[in-house]
């Protein structure tokens, strides 16, 4: 009888100690939940990108043309010279280029119109060197503040405020416990 009770108690202890308490979460697990969320819902900045037939004047628009030439050398756009004119008695010349997006740029293009597109200029990734600031609100909710490092895309030179003051942003996410799926980010 004693061995039977001992066997039953041992079975209960092993069964309950093997079950992980889903309601418990620590900073590392919260970081994993945020990483999964960012994989499915990435954070990024966008800018308007002009393409199609564009005219550049040699003195005034040379910096803008260099941005397009860099994209062309990386394979994100194709650049074809349509027309070149030398202005009479002037140092200025005008160039007309046909600029087209390539398949390589498709991952960075969010919305495309006839001669304009919204493109990702900066993406944000979870910074591994900075700790996750974890704050448990109650049994089912938690607030997690993380540092996201800035990663420039090839279209970064086309953003309006390219001179940001930092290479990261700090963002707070709210986590909620779902009984079936575990911890999830809630908007």
């Amino acid at each position: 009888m004693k061995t039977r009770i001992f066997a039953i108690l041992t079975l209960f202890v092993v069964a309950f100690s093997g079950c992980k308490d889903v309601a418990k979460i620590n900073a590392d697990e919260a970081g994993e939940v945020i990483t999964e969320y960012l994989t499915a819902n990435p954070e990024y900045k966008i800018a308007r990108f002009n393409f199609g037939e564009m005219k550049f004047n040699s003195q005034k628009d040379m910096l803008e043309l260099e941005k397009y030439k860099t994209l062309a050398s990386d394979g994100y756009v194709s650049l074809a010279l349509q027309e070149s004119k030398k202005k009479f008695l002037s140092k200025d010349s005008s160039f007309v280029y046909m600029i087209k997006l390539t398949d390589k740029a498709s991952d960075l293009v969010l919305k495309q119109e006839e001669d304009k597109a919204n493109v990702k200029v900066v993406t944000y990734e979870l910074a591994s060197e900075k700790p996750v600031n974890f704050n448990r609100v109650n049994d089912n909710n938690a607030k997690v503040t993380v540092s996201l490092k800035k990663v420039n895309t090839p279209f970064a030179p086309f953003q309006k405020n390219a001179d940001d003051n930092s290479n990261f942003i700090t963002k707070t996410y709210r986590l909620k416990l779902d009984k079936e799926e575990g911890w999830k980010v809630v908007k």
Side-chain angles (χ1 to χ4, degrees):
M1 180 77 174
K2 285 185 181 183
T3 58
R4 192 176 217 189
I5 293 174
F6 181 72
I8 292 173
L9 286 175
T10 306
L11 181 64
F12 279 122
V13 170
V14 170
F16 285 117
S17 65
C19 295
K20 182 181 176 187
D21 188 7
V22 183
K24 291 184 180 177
I25 188 168
N26 61 29
D28 291 335
E29 291 170 345
E32 290 173 13
V33 171
I34 299 297
T35 303
E36 288 176 19
Y37 176 78
L38 288 175
T39 302
N41 306 299
E43 296 281 341
Y44 50 81
K45 279 170 79 173
I46 62 171
R48 294 288 279 171
F49 177 75
N50 297 316
F51 59 95
E53 189 172 286
M54 296 185 65
K55 184 176 183 179
F56 299 96
N57 293 323
S58 65
Q59 296 294 330
K60 187 172 91 174
D61 298 331
M62 232 18 204
L63 291 175
E64 191 75 13
L65 180 58
E66 284 303 315
K67 294 177 191 178
Y68 284 100
K69 286 183 177 180
T70 302
L71 281 178
S73 67
D74 292 340
Y76 291 96
V77 297
S78 64
L79 198 63
L81 181 63
Q82 300 289 313
E83 185 180 336
S84 174
K85 288 185 184 177
K86 173 79 174 146
K87 293 182 182 175
F88 184 67
L89 296 176
S90 174
K91 293 181 181 179
D92 265 354
S93 296
S94 67
F95 302 98
V96 177
Y97 282 94
M98 177 57 74
I99 301 167
K100 295 181 182 178
L101 292 168
T102 63
D103 290 340
K104 190 174 180 180
S106 64
D107 291 340
L108 300 172
V109 176
L110 299 173
K111 180 181 174 188
Q112 184 176 347
E113 296 171 10
E114 188 174 321
D115 60 351
K116 294 179 181 147
N118 288 345
V119 293
K120 294 179 189 176
V121 291
V122 174
T123 60
Y124 293 100
E125 298 174 352
L126 189 62
S128 59
E129 60 273 358
K130 299 219 177 184
V132 174
N133 186 0
F134 175 74
N135 187 11
R136 183 101 182 233
V137 177
N138 60 32
D139 288 344
N140 296 330
N141 293 303
K143 283 188 180 179
V144 180
T145 303
V146 294
S147 179
L148 301 174
K149 67 180 175 180
K150 178 172 131 177
V151 179
N152 287 330
T153 69
F155 289 96
F158 292 93
Q159 63 183 319
K160 292 198 188 300
N161 298 334
D163 300 329
D164 286 339
N165 294 334
S166 68
N167 292 329
F168 67 93
I169 61 170
T170 304
K171 189 139 182 166
T172 301
Y173 294 96
R174 203 179 97 197
L175 302 181
K176 187 169 178 94
L177 178 63
D178 185 326
K179 296 290 183 186
E180 287 95 37
E181 298 179 27
W183 290 93
K184 293 174 64 174
V185 175
V186 181
K187 290 186 177 187

